[in-house]
Amino acid sequence: MADLKYIGDSYGASARAAPPSVGRAEIVTIGRRRWLIGMRWRSYEVQPERAELAEEAATMGTDWIARRVGDEAIQVGFSPALSSGWPSKVYSLAALLADSHKVPWAGAFDLGDGLWWYIAVRDNYGMMPDGDVVGSYEDILRARQEHGSLEDFNHVNGTLGNLEELISRARAKRTGIESLTASRYSARVVLGGVAAIVCLGGVYLSYQHSANVKEQKRQALVHAQVAANARKAAQDAAPDSGKILRSSPNPAAWLDACRQAVYTQPPWHNGWQLVTFHCAGSRLLVGWKRGPGATIAYAPPDAVISEDGNGASQSVVLPLPPGPQGKDDAIALRDARAALILWSQEHGIAVSISAMPGSPPKERGAAALGKAQPAPVPAIQFSFSVPAAPFALDFSSVPGLRLSEMDLGDVAGKAGGRAAYWKISGVVYGR
């Protein structure tokens, strides 16, 4: 099975670190609802599949999970099963209250009878791996002291009454607890289904002709449902605008990272002259030209020398910010294209924009069963060039826009004309 796209349990942790042990967990009743506290939280780049989570839980000795998926963080909480069967109407308290205070924040709440609960939330509204703790006051104090060395938290102290107030004001959707091994359906429901099948069999024997007609209709509905499920599975697995936008840096962050990388490059290095810049994806490609008296023995560090020895190229990682790169602000693609045209007119920049993509062909045969390739993400390409450095350009008025490349083919400006222009290209994603 493929490795989980796991971010890590703490700052700087390896993606392949061994799963940590899971501590004490409890179900408490607050405001007529049952809440699970004391889960171990892990963060992921993309939402993991249920089969992957089952493998992960097995290594941790757990069975219950809470899946928390938002724009800022994708997390899964793990807990041992506290009862047999499916945990019906049990919710994660930490997932509900993660955004109740200004982040980063940590809260300690007295639940009564010597029981305390502790929650710790990072800057990106993500739970700390061991930031959902239930136990004695000493347990909570120890967790708070350990986290104090990692981050400057806003601390909140309270009682059971304060928790009831936070729950009543919470805007987040309740995150239900699931079992990875137990069935969602009880024995009573299964026995009821068996009894219904027996009754239907009696009807079939008594009214064979009528039942045959009904069976044909039922089979048609089953085939239609299978096809619909296959199409939905293909759509869920296919990339979409939201996934792409959340995993790629917004234009301002990308331009700033490119600017930092570009302006840290010296114009000369041991007689080698800087001649080209090319930002693409997460790297800056720098081009050098050998000047008078320069040799390949003193070429820029880590540079790749050309065949004739008169040129060199160097790759530099862009200083992009860590964590989630952007947000999903995609709108209807036609409206996003109009916003890009308006931006070009307001800035007096001639932008080349691709046409709207055509409608996908109707599904037939294998496509109707979900076996065809998924539909492409709605998107348009654009490019333009400007005579000055474009790092101050503001693209916030164009939803779903991402920059992909920026090129300057004549750093020194000796060639003149269009050769000294900055060339920019990117994509606008829509719905």
Side-chain angles (χ1 to χ4, degrees), residues 1 8 34 38 50 65 100-101 145 169 197 247 253 314 361 401:
M1 181 175 294
R34 297 193 300 160
R50 187 177 180 85
I65 61 169
S100 297
H101 290 279
Q145 289 173 343
R169 291 185 305 166
I197 293 173
S247 62
Q314 187 180 21
L401 185 143

Side-chain angles (χ1 to χ4, degrees), residues 39 50 53 57 62-67 76-79 176-180:
M39 304 193 81
R50 187 177 180 85
L53 292 177
T62 61
D63 178 62
W64 287 4
I65 61 169
R67 291 191 270 193
V76 177
F78 294 84
S79 165
I177 304 301
E178 309 171 45
S179 172
L180 291 169

Side-chain angles (χ1 to χ4, degrees), residues 15 105 168 313 327 392:
W105 75 280
S168 65
S313 60
K327 66 177 183 178

Side-chain angles (χ1 to χ4, degrees), residues 159-196:
T159 63
L160 187 62
N162 299 120
L163 271 181
E164 291 178 346
E165 181 180 355
L166 286 176
I167 291 172
S168 65
R169 291 185 305 166
R171 297 181 179 179
K173 183 180 178 181
R174 293 190 299 273
T175 301
I177 304 301
E178 309 171 45
S179 172
L180 291 169
T181 59
S183 172
R184 187 186 296 266
Y185 304 103
S186 65
R188 179 180 300 178
V189 173
V190 174
L191 290 176
V194 173

Side-chain angles (χ1 to χ4, degrees), residues 95 187 317 357:
V317 177

Side-chain angles (χ1 to χ4, degrees), residues 78-239:
F78 294 84
S79 165
L82 301 186
S83 62
S84 60
W86 187 267
S88 177
K89 296 183 180 180
V90 181
Y91 307 95
S92 167
L93 186 57
L96 181 77
L97 300 183
D99 59 356
S100 297
H101 290 279
K102 181 180 178 181
V103 293
W105 75 280
F109 299 91
D110 185 358
L111 304 181
D113 297 328
L115 192 66
W116 286 72
W117 179 56
Y118 171 77
I119 178 174
V121 185
R122 294 173 173 168
D123 279 328
N124 63 346
Y125 293 96
M127 230 82 64
M128 295 286 289
D130 50 355
D132 183 1
V133 180
V134 58
S136 65
Y137 177 76
E138 289 73 17
D139 296 329
I140 270 58
L141 183 61
R142 183 163 51 251
R144 173 175 282 183
Q145 289 173 343
E146 291 176 357
H147 290 164
S149 63
L150 299 176
E151 195 155 0
D152 187 14
F153 289 98
N154 300 311
H155 290 284
V156 178
N157 298 315
T159 63
L160 187 62
N162 299 120
L163 271 181
E164 291 178 346
E165 181 180 355
L166 286 176
I167 291 172
S168 65
R169 291 185 305 166
R171 297 181 179 179
K173 183 180 178 181
R174 293 190 299 273
T175 301
I177 304 301
E178 309 171 45
S179 172
L180 291 169
T181 59
S183 172
R184 187 186 296 266
Y185 304 103
S186 65
R188 179 180 300 178
V189 173
V190 174
L191 290 176
V194 173
I197 293 173
V198 172
C199 292
L200 288 174
V203 172
Y204 175 79
L205 292 175
S206 302
Y207 305 99
Q208 186 174 16
H209 176 70
S210 176
N212 283 337
V213 174
K214 291 180 180 179
E215 178 65 13
Q216 291 174 2
K217 292 182 179 180
R218 188 187 71 82
Q219 289 291 342
L221 290 174
V222 168
H223 287 306
Q225 186 62 49
V226 169
N229 291 343
R231 286 194 297 270
K232 184 178 185 302
Q235 292 170 357
D236 292 342

Side-chain angles (χ1 to χ4, degrees), residues 32 75 201 211 393 425:
R32 298 183 181 181
Q75 292 188 297
L393 290 177
S425 62

